[in-house]
Amino acid sequence: MSIVDDLAAVYREHAAPGQAAAMRAYMRDQFEFLGIPSPLRRQLSRPFLKGDPLPVALACWELPEREFQYFACDLLARHARTLTPADLPTLRTLITTKPWWDTVDALAANVVGPVVSGDQTPMDAWAADDNLWVVRTAILHQLRYRATTDVERLFAYTRENRHHKDFFIRKGIGWALREYAKTDPAAVRRFVADHPDLSGLSRREALKNIGRDGEQP
């Protein structure tokens, strides 16, 4: 695919092995990096943010360096409104392939969220999935919804997964609640109070920016 080949040529011209080692260590040595910092990477990417996003994203996912997956996330976010629920299986493949919080969170909030904004029903099955990254995506997909958040769905996914043992699910629950608290802090405080069996991590994250009176400080 020429767009990916051309992108790769540009990226590799700007590889910085010293930076790559630090970036790899930050990601617990799970991925290879070229060592391109995010501001430069986005600058280099601008001419390539075009074309059919899903085939390009899939091709980027096959490359070893993580910067290509970051490009794919940016590309998909840019074209998210052109995607449909029929594309969710492909997005799920990306979420569950080379998964870690960096790409999963970007896809959840900036791609899956817009795709299902008209009908969030598919997220009900994702919230009950066996794959923790699919569950995290369901919990986080409304991060950008603000006043249009389906509150019952947000709270339902939290209730369903509040006993989950994984750190990333517990952290995701807290983050989703904290983000909605920017819209309705009193509702989040009530929900947390009504569910004393939330994990300590989820509770702390949810209430981090809420005052004692239930309002944002």
Side-chain angles (χ1 to χ4, degrees):
M1 184 172 293
S2 62
I3 188 172
V4 178
D5 293 339
D6 293 344
L7 174 71
V10 171
Y11 273 13
R12 295 190 195 287
E13 287 178 4
H14 292 81
Q19 286 272 59
M23 295 166 78
R24 186 171 60 248
Y26 180 70
M27 286 295 171
R28 301 183 183 179
D29 294 316
Q30 296 190 87
F31 310 107
E32 295 298 320
F33 282 86
L34 291 168
I36 305 174
S38 293
L40 176 58
R41 175 178 57 77
R42 291 197 171 98
Q43 179 183 337
L44 297 173
S45 299
R46 285 173 191 154
F48 303 99
L49 293 171
K50 56 189 177 182
D52 191 345
L54 285 177
V56 172
L58 288 167
C60 284
W61 235 260
E62 294 179 359
L63 295 173
E65 295 89 358
R66 199 60 165 170
E67 285 91 346
F68 295 106
Q69 283 95 67
Y70 294 159
F71 169 82
C73 290
D74 290 345
L75 177 68
L76 289 166
R78 186 181 181 93
H79 297 279
R81 296 295 177 183
T82 71
L83 303 176
T84 73
D87 297 314
L88 287 172
T90 302
L91 295 176
R92 189 186 190 284
T93 295
L94 298 177
I95 288 163
T96 57
T97 304
K98 301 181 181 179
W100 199 239
W101 60 264
D102 52 347
T103 54
V104 170
D105 294 358
L107 292 172
N110 302 327
V111 184
V112 174
V115 168
V116 301
S117 61
D119 178 11
Q120 297 177 57
T121 306
M123 294 296 97
D124 296 347
W126 285 33
D129 201 272
D130 291 335
N131 185 287
L132 74 91
W133 298 110
V134 174
V135 175
R136 182 172 166 102
T137 298
I139 292 169
L140 296 180
H141 83 276
Q142 297 193 83
L143 279 181
R144 306 285 185 261
Y145 283 22
R146 299 183 182 274
T148 63
T149 297
D150 183 332
V151 184
E152 291 305 315
R153 212 169 227 114
L154 170 63
F155 289 165
Y157 295 173
T158 297
R159 280 193 298 269
E160 291 168 14
N161 291 286
R162 68 188 187 278
H163 297 144
H164 203 291
K165 300 300 184 183
D166 189 86
F167 167 86
F168 288 104
I169 299 301
R170 293 183 171 195
K171 184 84 169 181
I173 286 172
W175 183 15
L177 292 174
R178 185 175 76 245
E179 192 66 22
Y180 183 62
K182 296 177 182 178
T183 299
D184 191 345
V188 171
R189 179 168 281 283
R190 286 194 301 271
F191 179 83
V192 171
D194 290 343
H195 295 83
D197 54 346
L198 277 173
S199 72
L201 175 60
S202 296
R203 179 182 301 274
R204 288 191 301 274
E205 289 292 321
L207 301 178
K208 184 178 290 184
N209 299 321
I210 302 179
R212 292 186 178 181
D213 57 358
E215 297 299 322
Q216 294 280 82

